[in-house]
Amino acid sequence: MTVSKAAAVDVTKASRPARKEPAEALAGETAIQLGELSELLGYSLKRAQLKIFEDFLRCVAPLQLTPAQFSVLLLLDKNPGRNQTEIANTLGILRPNFVAMLDSLESRDLCARMRSTNDRRSHILVLTDKGRAVLARAKKLIAAKHEARLNELLGPANRAALLAMLAKIAREF
């Protein structure tokens, strides 16, 4: 016996329960079991990073800064006259991505690229006055909201221990 494609689709649709809204779908069902996934450090780090980035973005929403852009502004403030390659390498950002990010920051007048006097092929990066002002506002928002919430959640000792462990992984792994 052959079944037409249309009939097969109708049978599939008829046997499928009505689609539930996400909240409803979870309310009547048991949670998905993660198994070994919950024991993998990489998975846990990524889930934590996503939550931290979400909170960071909410905190600095008025300034429209990403965590990576904030990091670039901080490094430019603390390391005036460094070139693009040094900043990108320090943050682990690939060159094409970094150039696009710099284009965005420069179009907002937060930083500027200047041809190096030592090496004409190289550009040094400088923070503009507007960039310094945005960075100062971002630091205040992050300290008052984002980092304050993390400090409250972890406590000083756990925060220091976590920073030390993450630094060890970044340095030695």
Side-chain angles (χ1 to χ4, degrees):
M1 174 179 170
T2 58
V3 178
S4 71
K5 230 180 192 181
V9 170
D10 287 343
V11 170
T12 304
K13 285 181 181 175
S15 66
R16 217 182 282 162
R19 192 171 243 166
K20 296 178 182 179
E21 293 299 317
E24 291 176 17
L26 293 177
E29 300 173 13
T30 59
I32 292 178
Q33 299 300 307
L34 296 178
E36 295 85 15
L37 198 54
S38 64
E39 299 299 318
L40 296 175
L41 284 174
Y43 176 79
S44 294
L45 284 170
K46 181 63 175 179
R47 297 295 300 177
Q49 178 197 29
L50 290 171
K51 291 290 190 180
I52 287 172
F53 277 19
E54 286 172 15
D55 187 69
F56 179 96
L57 291 170
R58 269 193 307 275
C59 288
V60 298
L63 303 175
Q64 299 178 337
L65 283 178
T66 65
Q69 290 170 332
F70 174 72
S71 299
V72 169
L73 296 179
L74 266 177
L75 287 184
L76 295 182
D77 186 47
K78 297 294 180 195
N79 303 279
R82 293 298 186 121
N83 69 39
Q84 290 178 207
T85 304
E86 292 172 307
I87 300 296
N89 289 345
T90 298
L91 295 174
I93 301 173
L94 297 174
R95 183 175 174 81
N97 298 344
F98 191 68
V99 169
M101 185 191 315
L102 282 181
D103 289 344
S104 173
L105 291 171
E106 205 169 23
S107 73
R108 294 174 57 194
D109 192 34
L110 301 180
C111 73
R113 289 177 261 213
M114 299 172 58
R115 191 144 325 260
S116 171
T117 55
N118 299 340
D119 181 358
R120 293 190 49 166
R121 296 168 297 165
S122 180
H123 287 91
I124 60 168
L125 302 173
V126 294
L127 202 56
T128 63
D129 290 340
K130 183 178 178 184
R132 262 186 276 294
V134 167
L135 178 60
R137 282 188 61 206
K139 287 165 82 172
K140 285 179 185 173
L141 287 171
I142 291 164
K145 295 179 178 184
H146 180 67
E147 288 292 324
R149 277 196 283 274
L150 286 167
N151 290 338
E152 184 179 328
L153 175 69
L154 297 174
N158 285 335
R159 181 185 189 283
L162 180 58
L163 279 172
M165 287 185 276
L166 292 172
K168 182 179 177 84
I169 290 170
R171 192 175 52 250
E172 298 176 23
F173 192 70

